[in-house]
Amino acid sequence: MDEDTAAVGSMSDSVENSLDPDNWQDFKALGHRMLDDMMSHLETVRERPVWTSIATDFCEHFQDPLPEDPQGALQAYEDFLTEIIPHHPALNIHPRFWGWVIGTGSPLGVLAEMLTAALNANVGGGNQIPVHVEVQVLDWCKEMLGYPKEASGVLVSGCSMANMIGLAVARNTKAGFDVRREGLQAAPQRMMFYTSTEAHSSIGRALSILGLGAGSLREVPTDADFRIDIPALEAMISDDRARGHRPVCVIGNAGTVNTGAFDDLERLATVCAREDTWLHVDGAFGAFAALSPKLRHLVAGMELADSLALDFHKWMHVPYEAGCVLVRSREDHVRTFSMNADYIHHTEPWFSDYGPQLSRSFRALKIWLSLKAHGVGTYRGLVQQNVDLARYLEQHIRANPRLELLAPVVLNIVCFRHLDPRPGPVDPQELERCNRVLLMRMQGGGQVFLSDTLINGVFALRVSITNHRTRRADLDFLIEHMLTVGERVFRSPRVEAEP
Amino acid sequence: MDEDTAAVGSMSDSVENSLDPDNWQDFKALGHRMLDDMMSHLETVRERPVWTSIATDFCEHFQDPLPEDPQGALQAYEDFLTEIIPHHPALNIHPRFWGWVIGTGSPLGVLAEMLTAALNANVGGGNQIPVHVEVQVLDWCKEMLGYPKEASGVLVSGCSMANMIGLAVARNTKAGFDVRREGLQAAPQRMMFYTSTEAHSSIGRALSILGLGAGSLREVPTDADFRIDIPALEAMISDDRARGHRPVCVIGNAGTVNTGAFDDLERLATVCAREDTWLHVDGAFGAFAALSPKLRHLVAGMELADSLALDFHKWMHVPYEAGCVLVRSREDHVRTFSMNADYIHHTEPWFSDYGPQLSRSFRALKIWLSLKAHGVGTYRGLVQQNVDLARYLEQHIRANPRLELLAPVVLNIVCFRHLDPRPGPVDPQELERCNRVLLMRMQGGGQVFLSDTLINGVFALRVSITNHRTRRADLDFLIEHMLTVGERVFRSPRVEAEP
C-alpha cells in the first residue's frame, strides 16, 4: 500500500467535515438574532453618534494571532458585538452624515446581500439567470440615464474601476495603432487625455495603471462655476497637436466631488466629435441628476458620451460595492478586454469580455430588488429631495451674516465657511484655523459629520447630501449647532488647533 | 420668490421620504422569512439539481422595462422566488459541483454579508475599526501562507485584480525608469514578462490592461507534470536580453487551473534573484496548500515571491467577492498606487494607496468571522479532505479499465476520460466526440457537474474539488453514473453531438 492509498484509507475512517452547521436550527436562531440586531441597528441609527474616535489601545484587539481552533459562529458573533459594533460609529448610515460622497445603504439592501450570498453565484457570463438579471439592470440603468439602449455595460466594484475601464477602451480605440498587440511603448506619439482641475483622483490613478504616465493628463482650468473651460481645452488640444502629441480622450465631469459642478457635456461632445477624441463622463453620483425633471438639464449631452461611469452605491444607496460602466460601442468595449475572438458568437455576454474580472458576484440582485421594491419614482424623489435640502441649507447660509457661501450650489453639495465675527481686520490664516477647529469640534461632538475642501485655495466646510435619511430638521440642527460651536471657537482668540 | 425658493417652499409642505420601511415589524418579518428560506435552500441543496438549462422564452421575463412605481419589498421578494430561485440551479453550492475552480460559500458567509451590508462601511482607510479588521485579516493571511509579516496587502474583488495589482507593481518597480511620470511610451526597451503555457488567462488580460502588449508576454513550455520548464525560461530570458529587451517579471503558478500543477517556486525565486526580475505568484486556490502539512511542500518558495495573488472565495469558501494581493515591499506597492506623497506619514493604511479602488466594502468581515468561527484548523482539514477526495477518485479511475487518467493528480484536480470499450482500432475523433456527449449527458442529467479541458491537446473530463460539501459517496455516485451513461454513449455507434 503506497502513501496515497494509506491517505485514502485513513480518510475512509475519518468523519467527513464541511462548513455547514451541525445543528441548523441553532444556526438559524443565531441568524434571526443577527437580523433583529441589524434591523434595530438601522432603526435606531439616529440615536447613536455619527462619529466617535477609537482609543489607540483598543486596536490591540486586532493583533490577536490567527485562530487555530473553532470558537463557533455564536462566539464569533459575540466578538463582532463587543469588538466591532460599539466602536464603529454610524458614519454614512446616519441621517446627519454629509462627508465626501458616500451612499447610505438601505434595509432592503441588507436583505438583498443575504440572498446574494446564499446563491453565491459566480456571474462570469453565459445563459444563466444572474446574467439575465444583470443585463436587465444594465438596461434599466441606460433607461434611467437616457443612455443609448444598444450600449454595452458591466457592473464593477465602483467608479474608480468604471473610470479605468472607460479610459482603457478610449486608449485602445483612439490610439491609432494596435495597443493590445504592440503595447504602449510602440506609440508613435504621446497620447493625451484632458480633464478639468476639478476631476476626481481616480482619473489620474486609472491613467497611471494604464501605463500612460502623468504627462499624458492635461488638467484644464475651470470657469467661475467650476466647469471645464472649453476654450482653454480647445487651445490645449491644438497646442498638443502642434507638438506632435495625439489627443485621445476628454473626461467630462457630471457632478464634481468638490462642488457638484457639471461640465457642459453637450459642448464637450461637439469638441470631441470635431477632434475625433473619445468622450468619457465621470458621473459617479451626478449622473443620477437625470432622474429628476428639474435637474435633467444638468446632464444634457451625457447621452453622447462614448463611455459613462457611475455608482449605484452612492445616490442609489445599494450597499457597497456596485459601480457601473456603460460603453456606447460594444465592439470597442469587447475588443479592449476579450481574450478570445469568440465573443462575437456569444448570445449572452461573458462579462470578462467587458472588464478585468472573471469571477464576479451577483451584484445586480441588490439593484434589481431595490428598483422593483422602491420603483425608480422613489429615487427620482429622493435625489430631488437631497438637492432641495442642499438649497434649503444654501438659503440658511445666505441669510446668515456669520456664514459665507463659497461655491454655487448646483446639486447636493454646499461649500461654505463660518466668518470671523470679531471686530477688526480679518486674518485669512486665523479664519481658516478657526474653521478647521470648528470642523474638528463638530466632528468630535458626534452629532454631525461634514468634510472639508479647498475652493479657489480657500478652506471650506463641505456638506454633501447623498443621504436618504437626512431631513430638514437635521440641517436646522446643523446650523444651530455650528453657530453655537462657532460662537465658542471665535470667542477664544488663541484656540490651539487640536491634533 | 425665485424658482429655488419656490422649490424649498414646496418641499416644506411635502412629506419627507426615505428608503426605510414604514413598518419595521413587517419588514423584519419579511427578513426572517428570507433567512429561513435561504437557510433551507442551503440545507436541502443536495436534493436539487446541480444544473438545469433555462428555457429560452423564460428570459423574456428579464426584458420588462424599468419599474416606475414601487411594488414593495414583499412583492420584489416574491418575484425573486418565482423568477430567479426556481430557474437558477444550485451550481457551485451543490456537493456534486466540480466545474472550473469555484468556492462553495458557507452558511456563516451568508449571515456575514448581512452584517456587512448593515454597517455599509466604506473601508477607504484611516483609523476606523473595519480598517483594523482588514489589517488583521491580511496578517492572518500572511500567517496562513507563511508569507513575510512585513508585507503589505489589500483585499480586492478577486485574483484577476490581485494579479493586475502585482504585475503593476512589478512593471513600475523593475522598469528602470519612472513609469508613473513618463508612461510606457518612454520605455527604452521592451519589458518582458514570463509565465508557463498553463497560466490563467487573467495574466494576459492584466498585462493588456497595463498597456504592455501581447508581445511582452512569453509563454514558457512546461514539463510532463505541467510545471514551468526552468531551463527553457532561462534560455528565453537570455535570448531577450541579447535582443535588447528587458526581463521584468516571472509569474509562477501555485496550482494551475487545468491540472493543479505547481511550478518549482524555489527555483523560480533563484532565477529571479539572479536576473533581477520580479517574482509574482498566482496562487488563486493553490496557495492554500500551505495550510496542510502534507501539501505544504508544493508551495515551498512561495514565501520568496515579490507579490502573491489569491482568493478567499475559492478554497476558503467565503461568498463572492474576496481576493487578496500581498506585496513583499510596502514601499514598492504604495509607490505604484498612491496619488500623494503623504502616505509615508499614515499610521493606518489608506487602501487606495494599494490598488485601484477608493470606495471599498468591508470584505474583511466575512473572512474574520469565518476564521474565528471555524478556526484555521477546520480549513486545513477541508483542503486536505478535498485533496484526499481527488486521490480517491484518481484511484477509482486507475483501477477501472474503462477510464484513463490524463494528468498527474497533485492537488484537487483530476483530468481523465472514458475509453472506448468497443472492439477494433480507436478513432481519436470518435473518442473525443463520445466524451463530449458523455459530459453533456451528465451535465444535462443535473446530478453531477464537471467541466472539460485539453491535456496535451487531448479532450479531458475535469473534476476540480474546491467544495466543502463533497463526500466520498458523491464521487462513488459520479463513477457509477459515468459508467452507466458511458455504456449508453459508447454502445450507440452514431450518437450525434447534441447542441
Side-chain angles (χ1 to χ4, degrees):
Chain A
M1 196 156 83
D2 67 17
E3 202 187 313
D4 287 357
T5 320
V8 173
S10 72
M11 187 188 161
S12 67
D13 300 317
S14 70
V15 177
E16 289 179 281
N17 217 337
S18 85
L19 295 175
D20 287 335
D22 294 327
N23 182 322
W24 283 92
Q25 280 312 314
D26 289 353
F27 190 80
K28 282 185 201 183
L30 173 62
H32 288 300
R33 186 182 148 200
M34 289 182 183
L35 192 136
D36 279 331
D37 289 350
M38 290 304 103
M39 289 299 145
S40 299
H41 188 76
L42 297 181
E43 193 177 355
T44 61
V45 64
R46 182 175 282 279
E47 298 155 25
R48 289 197 305 284
V50 56
W51 189 77
T52 50
S53 62
I54 311 176
T56 316
D57 59 350
F58 179 72
C59 304
E60 290 166 15
H61 265 279
F62 299 103
Q63 287 165 22
D64 291 343
L66 178 65
E68 179 64 31
D69 298 320
Q71 63 182 46
L74 179 62
Q75 185 56 49
Y77 182 57
E78 295 288 354
D79 288 354
F80 172 81
L81 289 180
T82 55
E83 294 175 20
I84 294 182
I85 280 284
H87 307 279
H88 177 66
L91 283 164
N92 50 305
I93 66 174
H94 195 283
R96 290 192 297 275
F97 179 90
W98 306 300
W100 310 294
V101 182
I102 307 194
T104 315
S106 79
L108 182 60
V110 175
L111 302 184
E113 288 291 59
M114 173 175 75
L115 304 179
T116 304
L119 300 188
N120 198 33
N122 181 343
V123 193
N127 185 21
Q128 50 165 329
I129 296 292
V131 171
H132 294 291
V133 173
E134 182 158 341
V135 169
Q136 182 171 36
V137 162
L138 292 166
D139 284 344
W140 287 351
C141 182
K142 296 173 223 165
E143 205 178 331
M144 286 163 77
L145 304 179
Y147 202 70
K149 196 173 160 35
E150 312 71 50
S152 65
V154 63
L155 298 179
V156 296
S157 53
C159 218
S160 290
M161 189 51 57
N163 281 330
M164 196 194 88
I165 291 173
L167 298 181
V169 183
R171 178 194 70 182
N172 284 18
T173 306
K174 294 294 186 184
F177 69 101
D178 188 343
V179 175
R180 286 195 62 172
R181 207 176 59 188
E182 307 288 334
L184 293 178
Q185 64 275 13
Q189 301 162 282
R190 183 176 263 280
M191 285 187 246
M192 301 305 299
F193 291 67
Y194 306 83
T195 194
S196 91
T197 49
E198 294 289 303
H200 189 257
S201 63
S202 62
I203 299 296
R205 186 181 281 113
L207 293 177
S208 175
I209 294 170
L210 296 175
L212 285 153
S216 283
L217 180 61
R218 292 252 186 264
E219 298 197 359
V220 185
T222 58
D223 63 20
D225 292 335
F226 304 100
R227 299 150 60 96
I228 192 167
D229 179 336
I230 290 179
L233 167 68
E234 291 173 315
M236 280 182 179
I237 290 176
S238 169
D239 280 1
D240 281 335
R241 286 208 199 279
R243 279 181 207 159
H245 300 328
R246 183 181 183 91
V248 159
C249 176
V250 176
I251 299 113
N253 291 293
T256 62
V257 75
N258 272 342
T259 70
F262 286 76
D263 292 337
D264 185 335
L265 301 177
E266 270 177 335
R267 283 183 63 200
L268 284 186
T270 305
V271 171
C272 286
R274 192 181 62 226
E275 299 285 349
D276 190 26
T277 57
W278 189 271
L279 176 59
H280 174 79
V281 171
D282 180 354
F285 60 103
F288 292 97
L291 290 182
S292 167
K294 287 191 196 166
L295 304 169
R296 200 166 288 155
H297 65 279
L298 294 169
V299 296
M302 186 168 73
E303 71 284 2
L304 302 170
D306 295 297
S307 53
L308 173 60
L310 56 114
D311 274 322
F312 282 93
H313 58 220
K314 290 192 168 88
W315 230 346
M316 295 294 290
H317 304 299
V318 299
Y320 285 100
E321 302 168 345
C324 178
V325 63
L326 300 173
V327 179
R328 170 177 293 273
S329 159
R330 186 174 299 268
E331 189 66 24
D332 292 342
H333 193 178
V334 174
R335 212 187 293 115
T336 301
F337 287 99
S338 181
M339 295 308 285
N340 60 61
D342 288 349
Y343 62 83
I344 218 75
H345 307 296
H346 293 158
T347 44
E348 286 83 22
W350 279 90
F351 289 114
S352 51
D353 290 344
Y354 297 82
Q357 285 188 263
L358 184 56
S359 292
R360 299 172 68 254
S361 71
F362 190 9
R363 291 181 205 289
L365 183 59
K366 56 192 170 190
I367 304 171
W368 189 82
L369 287 168
S370 298
L371 280 168
K372 278 178 167 271
H374 301 300
V376 71
T378 299
Y379 293 96
R380 292 186 207 289
L382 289 172
V383 164
Q384 185 63 52
Q385 177 171 295
N386 278 179
V387 172
D388 289 344
L389 287 167
R391 297 284 169 84
Y392 180 79
L393 178 61
E394 176 193 11
Q395 289 180 21
H396 263 301
I397 291 165
R398 285 187 189 279
N400 194 312
R402 295 212 167 172
L403 303 175
E404 181 187 16
L405 195 73
L406 291 173
V409 178
V410 287
L411 198 67
N412 61 326
I413 297 176
V414 185
C415 294
F416 63 108
R417 62 178 168 179
H418 197 297
L419 293 174
D420 195 333
R422 292 169 294 191
V426 173
D427 171 359
Q429 285 188 323
E430 170 70 0
L431 185 56
E432 171 167 340
R433 193 183 61 77
C434 286
N435 271 281
R436 286 186 184 275
V437 172
L438 171 60
L439 179 64
M440 280 188 291
R441 293 254 175 107
M442 285 197 289
Q443 230 80 307
Q447 299 198 285
V448 296
F449 192 101
L450 36 165
S451 52
D452 60 82
T453 189
L454 293 177
I455 300 293
N456 297 323
V458 168
F459 181 82
L461 307 173
R462 177 175 165 285
V463 167
S464 163
I465 314 176
T466 41
N467 190 323
H468 64 81
R469 295 200 170 104
T470 300
R471 295 172 175 245
R472 263 173 306 119
D474 295 311
L475 296 173
D476 294 339
F477 176 86
L478 167 67
I479 292 283
E480 198 185 308
H481 184 60
M482 182 161 42
L483 292 172
T484 309
V485 178
E487 181 72 34
R488 284 199 299 268
V489 168
F490 283 97
R491 194 170 48 196
S492 151
R494 306 251 342 128
V495 178
E496 293 302 322
E498 280 148 61
Chain B
M1 195 155 82
D2 65 18
E3 201 188 311
D4 288 355
T5 320
V8 173
S10 70
M11 186 188 160
S12 67
D13 299 317
S14 70
V15 176
E16 289 177 280
N17 215 339
S18 84
L19 296 176
D20 287 334
D22 295 330
N23 182 323
W24 282 92
Q25 279 313 312
D26 288 353
F27 190 80
K28 282 186 203 183
L30 174 62
H32 288 301
R33 185 182 149 201
M34 288 182 184
L35 192 135
D36 279 331
D37 290 351
M38 290 304 104
M39 288 300 144
S40 299
H41 187 76
L42 297 182
E43 193 178 354
T44 61
V45 64
R46 182 174 282 279
E47 298 154 27
R48 288 197 306 284
V50 55
W51 189 75
T52 49
S53 62
I54 311 175
T56 316
D57 59 348
F58 179 74
C59 304
E60 290 166 15
H61 265 280
F62 299 104
Q63 287 165 23
D64 292 343
L66 179 65
E68 179 64 30
D69 298 321
Q71 61 182 47
L74 180 61
Q75 184 57 49
Y77 182 56
E78 296 287 353
D79 288 354
F80 171 81
L81 289 181
T82 55
E83 294 176 21
I84 294 182
I85 280 282
H87 306 279
H88 177 65
L91 282 166
N92 50 307
I93 66 175
H94 196 285
R96 289 192 297 276
F97 179 89
W98 306 301
W100 310 293
V101 181
I102 307 191
T104 316
S106 80
L108 182 60
V110 175
L111 302 183
E113 289 291 59
M114 172 174 78
L115 304 178
T116 303
L119 300 188
N120 199 31
N122 181 343
V123 193
N127 186 21
Q128 51 165 327
I129 297 291
V131 172
H132 294 290
V133 173
E134 182 159 340
V135 169
Q136 182 170 37
V137 162
L138 292 166
D139 285 343
W140 287 350
C141 183
K142 296 174 223 164
E143 206 178 330
M144 287 162 78
L145 304 179
Y147 201 70
K149 196 173 160 35
E150 313 72 49
S152 64
V154 64
L155 298 179
V156 296
S157 53
C159 218
S160 290
M161 188 51 58
N163 281 329
M164 197 194 88
I165 291 173
L167 298 182
V169 183
R171 177 193 71 181
N172 284 20
T173 306
K174 295 293 186 183
F177 69 100
D178 188 342
V179 174
R180 289 196 59 171
R181 206 176 59 189
E182 307 288 335
L184 292 179
Q185 63 274 17
Q189 301 161 279
R190 183 177 265 279
M191 284 187 246
M192 302 306 299
F193 291 67
Y194 306 84
T195 194
S196 90
T197 49
E198 293 291 302
H200 189 257
S201 63
S202 62
I203 299 298
R205 185 180 281 112
L207 293 176
S208 175
I209 293 169
L210 296 174
L212 286 154
S216 283
L217 180 61
R218 292 252 187 265
E219 298 196 359
V220 185
T222 59
D223 63 20
D225 293 336
F226 304 100
R227 300 150 61 95
I228 191 168
D229 178 336
I230 291 181
L233 167 69
E234 291 173 315
M236 281 182 177
I237 291 177
S238 171
D239 280 1
D240 281 336
R241 287 209 198 280
R243 281 180 205 159
H245 300 329
R246 184 180 182 92
V248 159
C249 175
V250 176
I251 298 114
N253 291 291
T256 61
V257 75
N258 272 339
T259 69
F262 286 76
D263 292 337
D264 185 335
L265 301 177
E266 271 180 333
R267 284 183 64 198
L268 284 186
T270 304
V271 171
C272 287
R274 192 183 60 225
E275 299 285 348
D276 189 26
T277 57
W278 189 272
L279 176 60
H280 175 78
V281 170
D282 179 352
F285 60 102
F288 291 98
L291 289 183
S292 167
K294 285 191 198 167
L295 304 169
R296 199 166 289 153
H297 66 280
L298 293 169
V299 295
M302 186 168 75
E303 71 284 2
L304 302 170
D306 295 298
S307 54
L308 173 61
L310 56 116
D311 275 322
F312 281 94
H313 57 220
K314 291 194 169 88
W315 230 346
M316 294 294 289
H317 303 298
V318 300
Y320 285 99
E321 302 167 346
C324 178
V325 63
L326 300 172
V327 180
R328 170 178 293 273
S329 158
R330 185 174 301 268
E331 189 68 25
D332 292 341
H333 193 177
V334 174
R335 213 187 292 116
T336 301
F337 288 99
S338 181
M339 294 309 285
N340 60 61
D342 288 348
Y343 62 84
I344 218 72
H345 307 298
H346 292 158
T347 44
E348 285 84 23
W350 280 89
F351 290 113
S352 50
D353 291 343
Y354 298 82
Q357 285 188 262
L358 185 56
S359 292
R360 300 173 68 253
S361 72
F362 190 8
R363 292 181 205 289
L365 183 59
K366 55 191 169 190
I367 305 172
W368 190 82
L369 287 169
S370 298
L371 279 168
K372 278 179 167 273
H374 300 299
V376 71
T378 299
Y379 294 95
R380 290 187 208 289
L382 289 172
V383 164
Q384 186 63 52
Q385 176 171 296
N386 279 181
V387 173
D388 290 343
L389 287 167
R391 296 285 168 84
Y392 179 78
L393 178 62
E394 176 194 10
Q395 290 181 20
H396 262 300
I397 292 165
R398 284 189 190 277
N400 194 310
R402 295 211 167 175
L403 304 175
E404 181 187 17
L405 195 72
L406 289 173
V409 178
V410 288
L411 198 68
N412 61 325
I413 297 176
V414 184
C415 295
F416 63 108
R417 63 178 167 178
H418 197 298
L419 293 174
D420 195 334
R422 292 169 294 190
V426 173
D427 171 0
Q429 285 189 324
E430 170 71 0
L431 185 57
E432 171 166 342
R433 193 184 61 77
C434 286
N435 271 280
R436 286 186 186 275
V437 173
L438 171 61
L439 179 64
M440 281 188 290
R441 293 254 175 106
M442 284 197 291
Q443 230 80 306
Q447 298 198 284
V448 296
F449 192 101
L450 34 166
S451 52
D452 60 80
T453 189
L454 293 178
I455 300 293
N456 296 322
V458 169
F459 181 81
L461 306 173
R462 178 175 164 285
V463 167
S464 162
I465 314 175
T466 42
N467 190 321
H468 64 79
R469 293 199 172 105
T470 301
R471 297 176 174 241
R472 263 172 307 121
D474 294 310
L475 297 173
D476 294 339
F477 177 85
L478 167 66
I479 293 281
E480 199 184 309
H481 184 60
M482 181 161 41
L483 292 173
T484 308
V485 178
E487 181 73 33
R488 285 199 299 270
V489 168
F490 283 96
R491 195 170 46 198
S492 150
R494 304 241 355 117
V495 179
E496 294 300 322
E498 280 147 62

